[in-house]
Amino acid sequence: MTAVRVMLVDDQHLVRAGFAMVLESADDLTVVAQAGDGQEALDLLATIEVDVVLMDVRMPVLDGIEATRRAVASRPGVRIVVLTTFDLDESVTAAIAAGASGFLLKDAAPEDLIEAVRTVARGDSVIDPVSTRRLLAHAAPLLAAPTTAPGSAAAPELDLLTPREREVLVLMGEGLTNAEIAERHVVSEATVKTHVGHVLAKTGSRDRVQAVALAFRAGLVR
Amino acid sequence: MTAVRVMLVDDQHLVRAGFAMVLESADDLTVVAQAGDGQEALDLLATIEVDVVLMDVRMPVLDGIEATRRAVASRPGVRIVVLTTFDLDESVTAAIAAGASGFLLKDAAPEDLIEAVRTVARGDSVIDPVSTRRLLAHAAPLLAAPTTAPGSAAAPELDLLTPREREVLVLMGEGLTNAEIAERHVVSEATVKTHVGHVLAKTGSRDRVQAVALAFRAGLVR
DNA sequence: ACGCTCCTCCCCCCACGGGTGGAGGCCGGA
DNA sequence: TCCGGCCTCCACCCGTGGGGGGAGGAGCGT
Protein backbone atom coordinates (compact mmCIF):
# COMPACT_ATOMS: atom_id res chain seq x y z
CA MET A 1 0.00 0.00 0.00
CA THR A 2 1.10 3.52 -0.67
CA ALA A 3 1.98 5.83 2.19
CA VAL A 4 -0.65 7.99 3.87
CA ARG A 5 -0.31 11.55 2.56
CA VAL A 6 -0.43 14.10 5.38
CA MET A 7 -0.79 17.88 5.36
CA LEU A 8 0.38 19.94 8.34
CA VAL A 9 -1.42 23.17 9.18
CA ASP A 10 0.02 25.33 11.95
CA ASP A 11 1.19 28.92 12.11
CA GLN A 12 4.40 27.99 13.86
CA HIS A 13 7.17 26.65 11.65
CA LEU A 14 8.90 24.84 14.47
CA VAL A 15 5.76 22.97 15.39
CA ARG A 16 5.27 21.88 11.80
CA ALA A 17 8.90 20.85 11.56
CA GLY A 18 8.58 18.82 14.73
CA PHE A 19 5.44 17.05 13.58
CA ALA A 20 6.99 16.43 10.17
CA MET A 21 9.96 14.71 11.76
CA VAL A 22 7.72 12.57 13.92
CA LEU A 23 5.49 11.55 11.05
CA GLU A 24 8.31 10.91 8.59
CA SER A 25 9.83 8.55 11.12
CA ALA A 26 6.96 6.22 10.26
CA ASP A 27 7.61 4.88 6.78
CA ASP A 28 3.93 4.39 6.04
CA LEU A 29 3.31 8.13 6.48
CA THR A 30 4.56 11.02 4.38
CA VAL A 31 4.12 14.77 4.74
CA VAL A 32 3.16 16.12 1.31
CA ALA A 33 2.18 19.69 2.23
CA GLN A 34 2.34 22.35 4.92
CA ALA A 35 0.32 25.50 5.49
CA GLY A 36 0.61 28.41 7.92
CA ASP A 37 -3.08 29.21 8.25
CA GLY A 38 -6.50 27.86 7.40
CA GLN A 39 -6.93 29.72 4.14
CA GLU A 40 -3.57 28.56 2.87
CA ALA A 41 -4.57 25.01 3.77
CA LEU A 42 -7.79 25.26 1.76
CA ASP A 43 -5.91 26.61 -1.25
CA LEU A 44 -3.45 23.76 -1.10
CA LEU A 45 -6.20 21.19 -0.66
CA ALA A 46 -7.69 22.31 -3.96
CA THR A 47 -4.53 21.40 -5.84
CA ILE A 48 -2.95 18.52 -3.94
CA GLU A 49 -4.10 14.99 -3.09
CA VAL A 50 -4.12 14.58 0.68
CA ASP A 51 -5.41 11.78 2.91
CA VAL A 52 -5.11 13.31 6.37
CA VAL A 53 -4.80 16.90 7.58
CA LEU A 54 -3.31 17.77 10.97
CA MET A 55 -4.92 21.08 11.80
CA ASP A 56 -4.08 23.48 14.61
CA VAL A 57 -7.02 25.24 16.25
CA ARG A 58 -5.54 28.66 16.83
CA MET A 59 -4.31 30.26 13.62
CA PRO A 60 -4.35 33.70 11.99
CA VAL A 61 -6.53 34.52 8.96
CA LEU A 62 -8.72 31.41 9.27
CA ASP A 63 -8.86 29.27 12.39
CA GLY A 64 -8.73 25.50 12.39
CA ILE A 65 -12.37 24.92 13.17
CA GLU A 66 -13.71 26.97 10.29
CA ALA A 67 -11.02 25.61 7.99
CA THR A 68 -12.12 22.09 8.94
CA ARG A 69 -15.72 22.92 8.17
CA ARG A 70 -14.87 24.22 4.71
CA ALA A 71 -12.40 21.46 3.99
CA VAL A 72 -14.86 18.63 4.62
CA ALA A 73 -17.43 20.53 2.56
CA SER A 74 -15.19 20.87 -0.46
CA ARG A 75 -13.24 17.62 -0.05
CA PRO A 76 -15.45 15.04 1.66
CA GLY A 77 -12.79 12.36 1.34
CA VAL A 78 -10.16 14.08 3.40
CA ARG A 79 -9.84 13.17 7.07
CA ILE A 80 -8.98 15.89 9.53
CA VAL A 81 -7.34 15.68 12.93
CA VAL A 82 -7.63 18.85 14.97
CA LEU A 83 -4.81 19.65 17.37
CA THR A 84 -4.83 22.01 20.31
CA THR A 85 -2.34 23.06 22.95
CA PHE A 86 -4.79 23.24 25.78
CA ASP A 87 -8.04 21.38 26.16
CA LEU A 88 -9.45 24.14 28.30
CA ASP A 89 -11.99 25.37 25.83
CA GLU A 90 -14.88 23.70 24.14
CA SER A 91 -13.04 23.39 20.85
CA VAL A 92 -13.47 19.61 20.93
CA THR A 93 -17.17 20.01 20.46
CA ALA A 94 -16.67 22.62 17.79
CA ALA A 95 -14.11 20.50 15.94
CA ILE A 96 -16.35 17.46 15.90
CA ALA A 97 -19.32 19.52 14.83
CA ALA A 98 -17.18 20.90 12.03
CA GLY A 99 -16.54 17.39 10.78
CA ALA A 100 -13.14 16.49 12.24
CA SER A 101 -12.27 12.81 12.55
CA GLY A 102 -9.80 13.29 15.31
CA PHE A 103 -8.92 15.56 18.19
CA LEU A 104 -5.61 15.50 20.02
CA LEU A 105 -3.60 17.58 22.44
CA LYS A 106 -0.28 18.74 21.07
CA ASP A 107 1.58 17.20 23.95
CA ALA A 108 0.54 13.75 22.81
CA ALA A 109 3.27 11.14 22.60
CA PRO A 110 4.86 10.83 19.12
CA GLU A 111 3.68 7.26 18.74
CA ASP A 112 0.15 8.34 19.66
CA LEU A 113 0.22 10.98 16.93
CA ILE A 114 1.41 8.46 14.38
CA GLU A 115 -1.20 5.96 15.46
CA ALA A 116 -3.88 8.63 15.29
CA VAL A 117 -3.02 9.43 11.68
CA ARG A 118 -3.17 5.74 10.76
CA THR A 119 -6.49 5.37 12.56
CA VAL A 120 -8.25 8.20 10.76
CA ALA A 121 -6.63 7.20 7.46
CA ARG A 122 -8.40 3.84 7.60
CA GLY A 123 -11.72 5.56 8.33
CA ASP A 124 -11.94 5.34 12.11
CA SER A 125 -11.86 8.24 14.53
CA VAL A 126 -9.72 9.16 17.49
CA ILE A 127 -10.06 11.56 20.40
CA ASP A 128 -7.65 11.81 23.31
CA PRO A 129 -9.05 10.69 26.67
CA VAL A 130 -9.20 14.12 28.29
CA SER A 131 -11.09 15.59 25.35
CA THR A 132 -13.28 12.53 25.09
CA ARG A 133 -14.48 13.21 28.57
CA ARG A 134 -15.21 16.79 27.65
CA LEU A 135 -16.99 15.75 24.50
CA LEU A 136 -19.10 13.16 26.26
CA ALA A 137 -20.13 15.75 28.80
CA HIS A 138 -21.64 17.69 25.93
CA ALA A 139 -22.84 14.75 23.88
CA ALA A 140 -24.38 12.54 26.54
CA PRO A 141 -27.33 14.80 27.34
CA LEU A 142 -27.91 15.40 23.66
CA LEU A 143 -27.93 11.71 22.92
CA ALA A 144 -30.29 11.11 25.78
CA ALA A 145 -32.47 14.04 24.80
CA PRO A 146 -34.85 12.44 22.29
CA THR A 147 -36.41 10.28 25.01
CA THR A 148 -36.70 12.85 27.78
CA ALA A 149 -39.34 15.50 28.10
CA PRO A 150 -38.60 18.88 29.64
CA GLY A 151 -39.09 19.59 33.32
CA SER A 152 -38.79 17.15 36.15
CA ALA A 153 -38.74 14.02 34.02
CA ALA A 154 -34.96 14.15 33.94
CA ALA A 155 -34.57 13.80 37.70
CA PRO A 156 -37.35 11.69 39.21
CA GLU A 157 -35.84 12.02 42.70
CA LEU A 158 -36.82 15.66 42.70
CA ASP A 159 -40.47 14.71 42.49
CA LEU A 160 -40.18 13.28 45.98
CA LEU A 161 -39.41 16.69 47.42
CA THR A 162 -42.06 18.64 49.27
CA PRO A 163 -42.66 22.23 48.13
CA ARG A 164 -40.69 23.60 51.05
CA GLU A 165 -37.77 21.28 50.39
CA ARG A 166 -37.75 22.31 46.77
CA GLU A 167 -37.61 25.99 47.70
CA VAL A 168 -34.71 25.27 50.01
CA LEU A 169 -32.91 23.39 47.25
CA VAL A 170 -33.31 26.33 44.92
CA LEU A 171 -31.77 28.68 47.46
CA MET A 172 -28.97 26.18 48.01
CA GLY A 173 -28.36 26.44 44.30
CA GLU A 174 -28.08 30.21 44.63
CA GLY A 175 -25.15 29.56 46.93
CA LEU A 176 -26.86 30.58 50.15
CA THR A 177 -25.83 29.19 53.54
CA ASN A 178 -28.34 27.58 55.84
CA ALA A 179 -28.43 30.76 57.95
CA GLU A 180 -29.21 32.87 54.88
CA ILE A 181 -31.90 30.50 53.73
CA ALA A 182 -33.41 30.66 57.19
CA GLU A 183 -33.43 34.45 57.05
CA ARG A 184 -34.97 34.40 53.59
CA HIS A 185 -37.77 32.08 54.68
CA VAL A 186 -38.09 33.65 58.12
CA VAL A 187 -37.61 30.40 59.96
CA SER A 188 -34.90 29.12 62.25
CA GLU A 189 -31.68 27.65 60.94
CA ALA A 190 -32.62 24.37 62.62
CA THR A 191 -35.62 24.13 60.35
CA VAL A 192 -33.51 24.75 57.30
CA LYS A 193 -31.10 22.05 58.38
CA THR A 194 -33.99 19.64 58.64
CA HIS A 195 -35.13 20.47 55.13
CA VAL A 196 -31.62 20.21 53.78
CA GLY A 197 -31.24 16.84 55.42
CA HIS A 198 -34.42 15.62 53.77
CA VAL A 199 -33.33 16.96 50.40
CA LEU A 200 -30.04 15.12 50.66
CA ALA A 201 -31.73 11.90 51.71
CA LYS A 202 -34.35 12.00 48.98
CA THR A 203 -31.96 12.93 46.21
CA GLY A 204 -29.33 10.46 47.34
CA SER A 205 -26.82 13.25 47.69
CA ARG A 206 -23.94 13.11 50.10
CA ASP A 207 -23.69 16.84 50.60
CA ARG A 208 -25.27 20.03 49.33
CA VAL A 209 -22.83 20.25 46.45
CA GLN A 210 -24.17 17.05 44.91
CA ALA A 211 -27.73 18.20 45.52
CA VAL A 212 -27.04 21.53 43.87
CA ALA A 213 -25.45 19.80 40.88
CA LEU A 214 -28.59 17.71 40.56
CA ALA A 215 -30.74 20.81 40.74
CA PHE A 216 -28.74 22.44 37.96
CA ARG A 217 -28.94 19.39 35.74
CA ALA A 218 -32.67 19.15 36.30
CA GLY A 219 -33.07 22.82 35.40
CA LEU A 220 -34.45 23.62 38.86
CA VAL A 221 -31.96 26.45 39.00
CA ARG A 222 -29.89 28.19 36.41
CA MET B 1 -1.47 5.52 45.90
CA THR B 2 -3.80 2.62 46.42
CA ALA B 3 -4.73 0.37 43.54
CA VAL B 4 -7.72 1.09 41.34
CA ARG B 5 -10.61 -1.08 42.49
CA VAL B 6 -12.38 -2.75 39.59
CA MET B 7 -15.68 -4.63 39.36
CA LEU B 8 -16.32 -7.07 36.53
CA VAL B 9 -19.86 -7.54 35.26
CA ASP B 10 -20.45 -10.25 32.66
CA ASP B 11 -22.74 -13.24 32.52
CA GLN B 12 -19.96 -15.55 31.36
CA HIS B 13 -17.61 -16.82 34.06
CA LEU B 14 -14.80 -17.49 31.65
CA VAL B 15 -14.89 -13.96 30.30
CA ARG B 16 -14.72 -12.56 33.81
CA ALA B 17 -11.89 -14.89 34.68
CA GLY B 18 -9.98 -13.77 31.62
CA PHE B 19 -10.44 -10.10 32.32
CA ALA B 20 -9.52 -10.63 35.95
CA MET B 21 -6.24 -12.25 34.94
CA VAL B 22 -5.45 -9.42 32.57
CA LEU B 23 -6.24 -6.71 35.10
CA GLU B 24 -4.47 -8.38 38.01
CA SER B 25 -1.34 -8.51 35.87
CA ALA B 26 -1.15 -4.78 36.39
CA ASP B 27 -0.17 -4.14 39.99
CA ASP B 28 -1.96 -0.80 40.13
CA LEU B 29 -5.28 -2.50 39.42
CA THR B 30 -7.22 -4.94 41.55
CA VAL B 31 -10.47 -6.77 40.94
CA VAL B 32 -12.57 -6.39 44.08
CA ALA B 33 -15.90 -7.72 42.86
CA GLN B 34 -17.63 -9.66 40.12
CA ALA B 35 -21.28 -9.88 39.08
CA GLY B 36 -23.19 -12.04 36.61
CA ASP B 37 -25.85 -9.52 35.65
CA GLY B 38 -26.76 -5.87 36.01
CA GLN B 39 -28.93 -6.24 39.09
CA GLU B 40 -26.28 -8.16 40.91
CA ALA B 41 -23.82 -5.43 40.02
CA LEU B 42 -26.06 -2.73 41.46
CA ASP B 43 -26.52 -4.69 44.66
CA LEU B 44 -22.78 -5.09 45.06
CA LEU B 45 -22.16 -1.43 44.27
CA ALA B 46 -24.33 -0.48 47.22
CA THR B 47 -22.08 -2.35 49.62
CA ILE B 48 -18.58 -2.18 48.14
CA GLU B 49 -16.26 0.68 47.29
CA VAL B 50 -15.43 0.49 43.59
CA ASP B 51 -13.58 2.89 41.30
CA VAL B 52 -14.22 1.40 37.88
CA VAL B 53 -16.82 -1.04 36.57
CA LEU B 54 -16.25 -3.10 33.45
CA MET B 55 -19.77 -3.76 32.20
CA ASP B 56 -20.88 -6.10 29.44
CA VAL B 57 -23.77 -4.91 27.27
CA ARG B 58 -25.67 -8.14 26.79
CA MET B 59 -26.72 -9.70 30.08
CA PRO B 60 -29.76 -11.43 31.56
CA VAL B 61 -32.05 -9.81 34.15
CA LEU B 62 -30.70 -6.29 33.64
CA ASP B 63 -28.61 -5.30 30.62
CA GLY B 64 -25.43 -3.26 30.82
CA ILE B 65 -26.90 -0.04 29.50
CA GLU B 66 -29.69 0.19 32.04
CA ALA B 67 -27.37 -0.99 34.78
CA THR B 68 -24.97 1.79 33.81
CA ARG B 69 -27.74 4.36 33.97
CA ARG B 70 -28.77 3.31 37.46
CA ALA B 71 -25.22 2.93 38.70
CA VAL B 72 -24.20 6.46 37.77
CA ALA B 73 -27.42 7.74 39.30
CA SER B 74 -26.84 6.09 42.64
CA ARG B 75 -23.05 6.28 42.69
CA PRO B 76 -21.91 9.36 40.80
CA GLY B 77 -18.29 8.75 41.66
CA VAL B 78 -18.01 5.37 39.99
CA ARG B 79 -16.65 5.25 36.44
CA ILE B 80 -18.08 2.72 34.02
CA VAL B 81 -16.54 1.16 30.95
CA VAL B 82 -19.02 -0.63 28.72
CA LEU B 83 -17.79 -3.63 26.77
CA THR B 84 -19.33 -5.26 23.74
CA THR B 85 -18.45 -8.16 21.51
CA PHE B 86 -19.56 -6.57 18.27
CA ASP B 87 -19.88 -2.93 17.50
CA LEU B 88 -22.59 -3.58 14.94
CA ASP B 89 -25.34 -1.98 16.95
CA GLU B 90 -25.78 1.53 18.22
CA SER B 91 -24.97 0.56 21.78
CA VAL B 92 -22.13 3.10 21.87
CA THR B 93 -24.64 5.89 21.73
CA ALA B 94 -26.83 4.28 24.33
CA ALA B 95 -23.91 3.59 26.65
CA ILE B 96 -22.69 7.17 26.50
CA ALA B 97 -26.18 8.52 26.98
CA ALA B 98 -26.46 6.27 30.03
CA GLY B 99 -23.39 7.86 31.51
CA ALA B 100 -20.56 5.47 30.68
CA SER B 101 -17.04 6.87 30.72
CA GLY B 102 -15.66 4.30 28.34
CA PHE B 103 -16.63 2.01 25.50
CA LEU B 104 -14.48 -0.83 24.23
CA LEU B 105 -14.73 -3.90 22.05
CA LYS B 106 -14.00 -7.13 23.86
CA ASP B 107 -11.30 -8.03 21.40
CA ALA B 108 -9.22 -5.09 22.57
CA ALA B 109 -5.59 -5.82 23.34
CA PRO B 110 -4.92 -6.60 27.02
CA GLU B 111 -2.71 -3.55 27.41
CA ASP B 112 -5.46 -1.39 25.90
CA LEU B 113 -7.94 -2.69 28.44
CA ILE B 114 -5.56 -1.97 31.29
CA GLU B 115 -4.82 1.48 29.96
CA ALA B 116 -8.53 2.16 29.55
CA VAL B 117 -9.19 1.34 33.20
CA ARG B 118 -6.40 3.68 34.27
CA THR B 119 -7.71 6.39 32.00
CA VAL B 120 -11.25 6.40 33.35
CA ALA B 121 -9.97 5.97 36.91
CA ARG B 122 -8.21 9.31 36.67
CA GLY B 123 -11.39 10.93 35.39
CA ASP B 124 -10.85 10.88 31.64
CA SER B 125 -12.84 8.92 29.09
CA VAL B 126 -11.97 6.40 26.45
CA ILE B 127 -13.71 5.05 23.36
CA ASP B 128 -12.15 2.72 20.84
CA PRO B 129 -11.57 4.23 17.38
CA VAL B 130 -14.19 2.21 15.54
CA SER B 131 -16.88 3.12 18.05
CA THR B 132 -15.70 6.71 18.19
CA ARG B 133 -16.38 7.00 14.49
CA ARG B 134 -19.86 5.56 15.06
CA LEU B 135 -20.49 7.88 17.96
CA LEU B 136 -19.35 10.96 16.07
CA ALA B 137 -21.65 10.07 13.23
CA HIS B 138 -24.51 10.43 15.73
CA ALA B 139 -23.10 13.26 17.77
CA ALA B 140 -21.72 15.61 15.10
CA PRO B 141 -25.11 16.76 13.80
CA LEU B 142 -26.40 17.22 17.34
CA LEU B 143 -23.38 19.25 18.32
CA ALA B 144 -23.61 21.33 15.18
CA ALA B 145 -27.09 22.52 16.07
CA PRO B 146 -26.24 25.02 18.81
CA THR B 147 -23.68 27.13 16.97
CA THR B 148 -23.30 29.47 19.91
CA ALA B 149 -20.17 29.13 21.99
CA PRO B 150 -21.02 29.39 25.68
CA GLY B 151 -18.45 29.13 28.45
CA SER B 152 -15.61 31.59 28.66
CA ALA B 153 -17.66 34.51 27.40
CA ALA B 154 -20.29 34.13 30.12
CA ALA B 155 -17.97 33.96 33.12
CA PRO B 156 -14.76 35.94 32.61
CA GLU B 157 -13.60 35.08 36.13
CA LEU B 158 -13.06 31.52 35.01
CA ASP B 159 -10.39 32.66 32.58
CA LEU B 160 -8.24 33.58 35.56
CA LEU B 161 -8.06 29.97 36.65
CA THR B 162 -4.96 27.93 35.98
CA PRO B 163 -5.48 24.57 34.20
CA ARG B 164 -5.13 22.71 37.45
CA GLU B 165 -7.61 24.92 39.22
CA ARG B 166 -10.06 24.46 36.41
CA GLU B 167 -9.78 20.68 36.64
CA VAL B 168 -10.40 20.87 40.35
CA LEU B 169 -13.43 23.04 39.81
CA VAL B 170 -14.85 20.52 37.37
CA LEU B 171 -14.47 17.73 39.91
CA MET B 172 -16.06 19.94 42.55
CA GLY B 173 -18.97 20.22 40.16
CA GLU B 174 -19.17 16.44 40.01
CA GLY B 175 -19.84 16.52 43.73
CA LEU B 176 -16.49 15.12 44.81
CA THR B 177 -14.95 15.92 48.18
CA ASN B 178 -11.44 17.31 48.48
CA ALA B 179 -10.19 13.88 49.46
CA GLU B 180 -11.75 12.29 46.37
CA ILE B 181 -10.37 14.98 44.12
CA ALA B 182 -6.95 14.36 45.65
CA GLU B 183 -7.29 10.66 44.91
CA ARG B 184 -8.34 11.37 41.32
CA HIS B 185 -5.43 13.66 40.70
CA VAL B 186 -3.00 11.60 42.73
CA VAL B 187 -1.98 14.52 44.93
CA SER B 188 -2.41 15.24 48.62
CA GLU B 189 -5.59 16.69 50.03
CA ALA B 190 -3.58 19.74 51.14
CA THR B 191 -2.82 20.51 47.52
CA VAL B 192 -6.44 20.21 46.57
CA LYS B 193 -7.39 22.57 49.39
CA THR B 194 -4.92 25.08 48.02
CA HIS B 195 -6.42 24.84 44.54
CA VAL B 196 -9.92 25.10 45.91
CA GLY B 197 -8.93 28.17 47.88
CA HIS B 198 -7.57 29.80 44.74
CA VAL B 199 -10.68 28.92 42.79
CA LEU B 200 -12.88 30.50 45.44
CA ALA B 201 -10.72 33.63 45.57
CA LYS B 202 -10.56 34.06 41.81
CA THR B 203 -14.22 33.43 41.23
CA GLY B 204 -15.28 35.55 44.16
CA SER B 205 -17.10 32.60 45.67
CA ARG B 206 -17.64 32.23 49.38
CA ASP B 207 -17.72 28.45 49.36
CA ARG B 208 -17.57 25.59 46.91
CA VAL B 209 -21.29 25.64 46.35
CA GLN B 210 -21.13 29.10 44.82
CA ALA B 211 -18.13 28.10 42.74
CA VAL B 212 -19.94 25.03 41.47
CA ALA B 213 -23.00 27.09 40.61
CA LEU B 214 -20.75 29.40 38.62
CA ALA B 215 -19.19 26.44 36.83
CA PHE B 216 -22.61 25.12 35.89
CA ARG B 217 -23.77 28.48 34.59
CA ALA B 218 -20.58 28.84 32.56
CA GLY B 219 -21.08 25.39 31.09
CA LEU B 220 -17.82 24.13 32.57
CA VAL B 221 -19.76 21.21 33.92
CA ARG B 222 -23.19 19.80 33.17
C1' DA C 1 20.85 34.92 37.48
C1' DC C 2 16.69 36.66 38.67
C1' DG C 3 11.87 36.89 39.33
C1' DC C 4 7.51 35.04 38.28
C1' DT C 5 3.76 31.65 38.10
C1' DC C 6 2.27 27.25 39.01
C1' DC C 7 2.08 23.08 41.57
C1' DT C 8 3.04 20.74 45.52
C1' DC C 9 2.70 20.11 50.69
C1' DC C 10 2.55 21.31 55.71
C1' DC C 11 0.71 23.44 60.21
C1' DC C 12 -3.12 25.39 63.19
C1' DC C 13 -7.86 26.98 63.84
C1' DC C 14 -12.78 26.97 63.85
C1' DA C 15 -17.15 27.76 61.62
C1' DC C 16 -20.40 25.58 58.89
C1' DG C 17 -22.67 21.58 57.40
C1' DG C 18 -24.78 17.31 58.25
C1' DG C 19 -26.31 13.14 61.20
C1' DT C 20 -28.91 11.60 65.22
C1' DG C 21 -32.73 11.71 67.89
C1' DG C 22 -35.90 13.94 69.45
C1' DA C 23 -40.41 17.51 70.10
C1' DG C 24 -44.80 19.98 69.05
C1' DG C 25 -48.59 21.86 65.92
C1' DC C 26 -51.31 21.86 61.63
C1' DC C 27 -53.94 19.77 58.15
C1' DG C 28 -56.22 16.28 55.20
C1' DG C 29 -57.61 11.62 54.31
C1' DA C 30 -59.09 7.00 56.02
C1' DT D 1 -61.29 10.03 65.33
C1' DC D 2 -56.80 8.78 64.44
C1' DC D 3 -53.06 8.36 61.42
C1' DG D 4 -49.64 10.33 58.56
C1' DG D 5 -47.30 13.88 56.09
C1' DC D 6 -45.50 18.43 56.44
C1' DC D 7 -43.46 22.28 58.78
C1' DT D 8 -41.45 24.05 62.69
C1' DC D 9 -37.80 23.87 66.33
C1' DC D 10 -34.23 21.97 69.76
C1' DA D 11 -29.50 19.89 71.57
C1' DC D 12 -25.45 17.31 70.71
C1' DC D 13 -21.57 15.57 68.09
C1' DC D 14 -18.01 15.75 64.74
C1' DG D 15 -16.26 15.60 60.05
C1' DT D 16 -15.25 18.43 56.23
C1' DG D 17 -14.32 22.75 54.38
C1' DG D 18 -12.04 27.00 54.23
C1' DG D 19 -8.75 30.83 56.02
C1' DG D 20 -4.11 32.15 57.40
C1' DG D 21 0.43 31.74 56.67
C1' DG D 22 4.36 29.52 55.14
C1' DA D 23 7.75 26.70 52.18
C1' DG D 24 10.03 24.27 48.53
C1' DG D 25 10.73 22.87 43.60
C1' DA D 26 9.88 23.08 38.52
C1' DG D 27 9.46 25.79 34.58
C1' DC D 28 9.72 30.03 31.96
C1' DG D 29 10.71 34.52 30.45
C1' DT D 30 13.90 38.47 31.06
Side-chain angles (χ1 to χ4, degrees):
Chain A
M1 154 185 177
T2 63
V4 176
R5 295 159 298 183
V6 181
M7 176 190 286
L8 304 179
V9 189
D10 195 305
D11 57 330
Q12 298 180 51
H13 301 74
L14 279 178
V15 174
R16 294 208 302 269
F19 284 158
M21 281 190 65
V22 168
L23 295 176
E24 290 290 358
S25 75
D27 52 6
D28 59 334
L29 307 181
T30 174
V31 176
V32 296
Q34 298 191 19
D37 64 67
Q39 187 54 55
E40 205 177 305
L42 292 177
D43 295 344
L44 276 171
L45 268 183
T47 63
I48 307 178
E49 286 289 312
V50 172
D51 300 307
V52 176
V53 178
L54 291 189
M55 181 93 71
D56 188 24
V57 175
R58 295 182 54 185
M59 284 185 299
V61 187
L62 189 66
D63 72 280
I65 303 298
E66 187 54 33
T68 296
R69 199 186 322 277
R70 299 186 192 178
V72 297
S74 63
R75 288 258 169 163
V78 72
R79 310 282 293 174
I80 297 181
V81 175
V82 172
L83 300 170
T84 188
T85 308
F86 311 104
D87 70 318
L88 308 177
D89 46 17
E90 70 291 337
S91 51
V92 203
T93 321
I96 298 311
S101 297
F103 192 92
L104 290 181
L105 300 185
K106 280 191 184 173
D107 67 350
E111 52 268 34
D112 288 345
L113 181 65
I114 292 173
E115 196 49 44
V117 172
R118 290 183 181 135
T119 299
V120 301
R122 70 167 182 264
D124 294 331
S125 300
V126 59
I127 301 178
D128 78 274
V130 175
S131 303
T132 296
R133 182 189 179 287
R134 218 166 283 276
L135 174 66
L136 294 191
H138 284 80
L142 291 177
L143 293 172
T147 50
T148 56
S152 59
E157 317 90 296
L158 295 182
D159 292 342
L160 299 173
L161 300 181
T162 68
R164 206 55 165 168
E165 287 160 0
R166 194 162 315 175
E167 293 174 30
V168 170
L169 177 53
V170 170
L171 293 184
M172 279 195 268
E174 308 284 344
L176 301 193
T177 64
N178 289 339
E180 288 169 339
I181 296 174
E183 196 179 342
R184 199 67 86 76
H185 278 179
V186 200
V187 295
S188 81
E189 188 177 343
T191 302
V192 175
K193 291 181 76 168
T194 303
H195 290 318
V196 171
H198 290 161
V199 169
L200 299 186
K202 290 181 179 177
T203 60
S205 304
R206 189 175 43 189
D207 50 43
R208 61 168 55 211
V209 180
Q210 290 190 350
V212 165
L214 201 74
F216 266 96
R217 282 190 263 262
L220 229 188
V221 282
R222 64 197 78 207
Chain B
M1 163 191 172
T2 63
V4 175
R5 295 158 297 185
V6 181
M7 175 190 288
L8 303 179
V9 189
D10 195 305
D11 57 331
Q12 299 180 49
H13 301 75
L14 279 178
V15 174
R16 295 207 302 267
F19 283 159
M21 281 190 65
V22 168
L23 295 176
E24 290 289 358
S25 76
D27 52 7
D28 59 333
L29 307 181
T30 174
V31 176
V32 296
Q34 297 192 20
D37 63 67
Q39 188 55 54
E40 204 176 306
L42 291 177
D43 294 343
L44 276 172
L45 267 183
T47 62
I48 307 179
E49 286 289 310
V50 172
D51 300 306
V52 176
V53 177
L54 290 188
M55 181 95 71
D56 189 23
V57 174
R58 295 183 54 186
M59 284 183 300
V61 185
L62 188 66
D63 72 278
I65 303 297
E66 187 54 33
T68 296
R69 198 186 321 277
R70 298 186 192 179
V72 297
S74 62
R75 287 259 168 162
V78 72
R79 311 280 295 172
I80 298 180
V81 176
V82 172
L83 300 170
T84 187
T85 309
F86 310 105
D87 71 319
L88 307 177
D89 47 15
E90 71 293 334
S91 50
V92 201
T93 319
I96 297 311
S101 297
F103 192 92
L104 290 181
L105 300 185
K106 278 192 186 174
D107 67 350
E111 52 267 34
D112 287 346
L113 181 65
I114 291 173
E115 195 48 43
V117 172
R118 291 182 181 137
T119 298
V120 301
R122 70 168 181 266
D124 294 329
S125 300
V126 59
I127 302 177
D128 76 275
V130 176
S131 303
T132 296
R133 183 185 181 287
R134 215 168 287 275
L135 174 66
L136 292 191
H138 283 82
L142 292 176
L143 294 171
T147 40
T148 56
S152 57
E157 317 89 296
L158 295 182
D159 293 342
L160 299 173
L161 300 182
T162 67
R164 205 55 162 169
E165 287 160 2
R166 203 175 314 256
E167 292 174 29
V168 169
L169 176 54
V170 170
L171 294 184
M172 278 194 269
E174 309 284 345
L176 302 194
T177 65
N178 289 339
E180 287 168 339
I181 296 174
E183 197 179 340
R184 263 310 166 82
H185 278 326
V186 200
V187 296
S188 82
E189 190 178 341
T191 301
V192 175
K193 291 182 77 169
T194 303
H195 290 317
V196 171
H198 289 161
V199 169
L200 298 186
K202 290 182 180 177
T203 60
S205 304
R206 192 173 43 191
D207 52 44
R208 62 169 52 212
V209 180
Q210 291 191 350
V212 165
L214 201 73
F216 265 96
R217 280 190 263 263
L220 228 191
V221 282
R222 63 192 75 205

